[in-house]
Every structure is written in structure tokens, then in C-alpha cells.
Amino acid sequence: MENINLKYFKSSLYESVFEYYSNGETCHFCKRTSEPLVKVDETIEIVTKQKEEGLEYVCLGCLLDRKYAFVQEVEGGYLTEEGIVTSSTKYKSLQDSIDYHTNLLPKEENLLAIEKSKIDELMHTPPFRAWQGAVWLTHCNDFMTFVDIWEHEDFVAKSPDGNAEKFFDEILDNWQEDDFYKEQFSPEKSDYAESVFYAFECSHCKKYRGYVD
């Protein structure tokens, strides 16, 4: 499987939004058909240096050549053509939530403190495939690196003591109910288990974090 090895994305091409097409689709910029492509639609928003008409497919090679960038959703907000837009700026009602000051506000402040060069780097990184859209986590004043979609064996391998469920609880970013791991990820998981865990690693301290979709 072809891998992508970037600062913020170290996983297989399959886990990215890019794929190989076989019906003559071409990149808007380079016109090549041999590169992995992504179809630009309502779920994929890109940024270009100037207004582009009729833009339908773009390729991985042209992303790496900085011919365009992605609007990215991140912990605390969004990276856009206009710069950082915090979650509560986009959705004002979030400021009225009970845990805004203890949960979301610190994430927004964290995001606003990240260096511009790191923001540019992430916007030139392929989004990973996610059911409800990719959200990049942060740590050590930087964006974390997406490393893979994890299953039970991955939690066992990465856990310091081999206790997969305990490790899952320690690094999970979004709360889940009791027995969630057993029902969704363990060898005894339910036949109806559909949850996906997106795993990230901090490039500075090597801490793992992740969230469930």
C-alpha cells in the first residue's frame, strides 16, 4: 500500500481523501491522470491563489507543489483562506454552553497561539477519511500527526502495559459511555459495531491522542 509521509500525515494513501481514478479524470492544475486525485465537492473545500473556474479534481502532487491548499477543521476551529476561525466565532451559540470556558475556550486559545508556518503546513496536508469530516487534534503548541485508524490490536501494541481498554480511555478525546470499548473495539465487540478511532501522535513528546467517529 502506498504511504504518505508528511509532518502531519504518516499513513497509507488509502486513509487519505485521495485515490486513483480510472475513467480519464484529470487534475485541474497539471492535467495528469496518473496521480491520486480528490473530487472537490461540498465536503472538500480548497484554497487557491486565484479564483479557479470549473475546478472538479485536484491531485496529491499539486498539493505538495503548493498549487492549492485545504480548508481544515482543527481542534478549536478552522483553518481557512482568511486565517483561523474559532469554533465559537463560526457558531456563536457555543459561547453559551456550560463547558465553554473549561473546554472549548482553552482549545481556541491554543489554536490561536500556533505559529503561522505550522498552519500553512497543515493546510498543505491531505485530510484523512472520516465519516463526519476530519478534525486535527493539537498538542505541544502544534498540530498532531495523523497515524492511522486503530483497532483492538493497535491499542494492545501501543499501550505501555498491554491493557488496551485502559489505554483507549486515557487517550480518547471525546467521552463515551461505559463498556463502549468492549462493545465497539474489543475481540468481543458487537456485530453492530461501527465506530472508528482516528489516532494521532505528537511529533514533539510522542504522546498519542484520538477520537471516535
Side-chain angles (χ1 to χ4, degrees):
M1 179 68 68
E2 184 177 346
N3 288 330
I4 297 175
N5 187 23
L6 300 173
K7 179 180 179 181
Y8 297 125
F9 191 112
K10 295 185 184 297
S11 189
S12 68
L13 175 69
Y14 177 78
E15 300 299 351
S16 79
V17 294
F18 288 93
E19 60 183 293
Y20 287 101
Y21 285 79
S22 58
N23 293 318
E25 295 86 350
T26 61
C27 172
H28 175 84
F29 296 101
C30 67
K31 309 306 179 186
R32 286 179 291 182
T33 60
S34 58
E35 283 279 333
L37 301 166
V38 62
K39 182 178 175 61
V40 180
D41 56 24
E42 67 276 1
T43 66
I44 299 290
E45 187 177 354
I46 68 170
V47 177
T48 58
K49 293 181 180 178
Q50 57 187 24
K51 186 72 174 178
E52 299 281 345
E53 300 294 336
L55 198 155
E56 189 172 9
Y57 292 92
V58 290
C59 78
L60 178 59
C62 286
L63 173 68
L64 302 181
D65 287 340
R66 297 294 203 267
K67 293 181 180 178
Y68 68 95
F70 286 102
V71 171
Q72 302 275 28
E73 182 175 358
V74 299
E75 195 169 25
Y78 304 82
L79 310 183
T80 73
E81 186 173 10
E82 291 76 29
I84 293 173
V85 177
T86 62
S87 298
S88 64
T89 298
K90 185 170 184 176
Y91 303 106
K92 298 290 186 181
S93 61
L94 292 174
Q95 296 181 16
D96 299 325
S97 61
I98 296 174
D99 63 347
Y100 172 70
H101 290 281
T102 58
N103 184 27
L104 180 56
L105 181 58
K107 292 178 180 180
E108 292 181 332
E109 292 174 338
N110 238 8
L111 175 59
L112 291 170
I114 293 178
E115 297 171 10
K116 186 176 180 180
S117 61
K118 295 173 181 176
I119 293 169
D120 181 70
E121 185 71 24
L122 185 61
M123 292 184 72
H124 289 92
T125 298
F128 52 92
R129 293 181 187 275
W131 290 109
Q132 300 184 60
V135 180
W136 298 88
L137 302 185
T138 62
H139 202 263
C140 290
N141 299 314
D142 201 352
F143 303 108
M144 300 185 79
T145 302
F146 172 74
V147 292
D148 213 346
I149 288 176
W150 278 5
E151 298 182 0
H152 175 70
E153 294 75 14
D154 300 297
F155 290 104
V156 172
K158 299 296 184 181
S159 170
D161 59 3
N163 188 326
E165 185 170 359
K166 176 185 174 185
F167 186 52
F168 171 82
D169 290 338
E170 290 173 349
I171 67 174
L172 179 67
D173 185 65
N174 51 338
W175 180 87
Q176 299 294 340
E177 66 273 12
D178 293 341
D179 295 328
F180 181 84
Y181 183 87
K182 181 179 180 181
E183 295 175 357
Q184 295 292 325
F185 294 100
S186 76
E188 298 83 34
K189 66 183 179 182
S190 165
D191 292 339
Y192 303 101
E194 296 181 340
S195 295
V196 177
F197 183 89
Y198 306 109
F200 296 80
E201 182 180 21
C202 176
S203 61
H204 303 281
C205 70
K206 304 304 179 185
K207 177 181 175 65
Y208 288 107
R209 292 181 65 204
Y211 72 93
V212 168
D213 198 357

